[in-house]
Amino acid sequence: VLLCSAGGQAVRFQTSEKQLRASGRQSRGVKSMGMREGDTIADMFVIVGKPGREAAAGAGDDGAEGAVGGDDEDDGQKLVAVTQRGYGKRMRTSLFRCQTRGGKGVIAIKFKRDDDRLLALSSCKAPAQEDGVVDDAERELLLITAKGVTVRQRLSAISEQGRATTGVL
């Protein structure tokens, strides 16, 4: 699971019995992410793949971008992040190392202004066509503003960037 806060932090952890134990209906559950003052959870994403594949690789890294997995280990999953001020970027899930739940996480997106917030973190994956090939040029992002203005943007026009970047307007 990858949780993202509105303040731009993200934590990735496994949903194994060791990390995320089952609890009853009336329990409060377990702490998933440590939050800073005034921060809230913006979005979450379930990463599908072999459990533990990147956990061992990320156990002792220094948090540098791309430290976990390369193109040969990448599971091909990409995310798109959108901010309140209209910035967006695509990024690979392999940029986020597995860690224990409850931490403050790592930087998922930086903001140009202090009043900007992360609105959404979503998958870039499109449904496969009949021949199994997905055309990147056909995938689009649909956004609706608070005033009802609809914006449609091709995902190929949004650049793929690292974790600690702002994105494109």
Side-chain angles (χ1 to χ4, degrees), residues 11-97:
V11 64
R12 177 181 179 175
F13 59 90
Q14 292 182 347
T15 56
S16 64
E17 190 65 32
K18 183 179 178 184
Q19 281 285 323
L20 192 62
R21 64 184 179 272
S23 57
R25 191 171 43 112
Q26 294 183 348
S27 72
R28 293 187 326 170
V30 294
K31 186 176 184 177
S32 58
M33 183 175 186
M35 305 300 290
R36 290 186 166 83
E37 181 86 24
D39 206 359
T40 59
I41 297 289
D43 214 341
M44 60 134 339
F45 180 72
V46 177
I47 299 171
V48 181
K50 294 179 185 176
R53 184 178 72 176
E54 293 179 2
D61 72 12
D62 60 356
E65 288 188 33
V68 179
D71 289 336
D72 56 336
E73 285 186 24
D74 192 11
D75 49 14
Q77 295 184 66
K78 293 180 187 172
L79 303 168
V80 61
V82 179
T83 70
Q84 185 177 350
R85 294 275 174 204
Y87 286 89
K89 67 177 180 173
R90 289 183 300 151
M91 57 191 147
R92 296 180 183 271
T93 56
S94 61
L95 294 175
F96 298 92
R97 70 180 188 274

Side-chain angles (χ1 to χ4, degrees), residues 25-163:
R25 191 171 43 112
Q26 294 183 348
S27 72
R28 293 187 326 170
V30 294
K31 186 176 184 177
S32 58
M33 183 175 186
M35 305 300 290
R36 290 186 166 83
E37 181 86 24
D39 206 359
T40 59
I41 297 289
D43 214 341
M44 60 134 339
F45 180 72
V46 177
I47 299 171
V48 181
K50 294 179 185 176
R53 184 178 72 176
E54 293 179 2
D61 72 12
D62 60 356
E65 288 188 33
V68 179
D71 289 336
D72 56 336
E73 285 186 24
D74 192 11
D75 49 14
Q77 295 184 66
K78 293 180 187 172
L79 303 168
V80 61
V82 179
T83 70
Q84 185 177 350
R85 294 275 174 204
Y87 286 89
K89 67 177 180 173
R90 289 183 300 151
M91 57 191 147
R92 296 180 183 271
T93 56
S94 61
L95 294 175
F96 298 92
R97 70 180 188 274
C98 279
Q99 56 192 53
T100 57
R101 61 173 179 74
K104 298 222 187 268
V106 295
I107 296 171
I109 192 166
K110 286 195 173 184
F111 304 112
K112 289 212 181 269
R113 294 175 44 171
D114 290 337
D115 61 345
D116 204 1
R117 308 289 281 164
L118 181 69
L119 288 181
L121 180 75
S122 185
S123 172
C124 290
K125 189 174 184 177
Q129 297 174 358
E130 290 178 18
D131 57 0
V133 178
V134 177
D135 187 11
D136 282 346
E138 293 182 15
R139 293 191 266 182
E140 295 178 330
L141 178 67
L142 187 67
L143 301 168
I144 303 172
T145 67
K147 294 185 178 183
V149 177
T150 303
V151 178
R152 195 161 103 184
Q153 178 70 48
R154 289 184 192 254
L155 283 175
S156 58
I158 301 171
S159 61
E160 187 174 326
Q161 299 181 2
R163 278 191 309 103

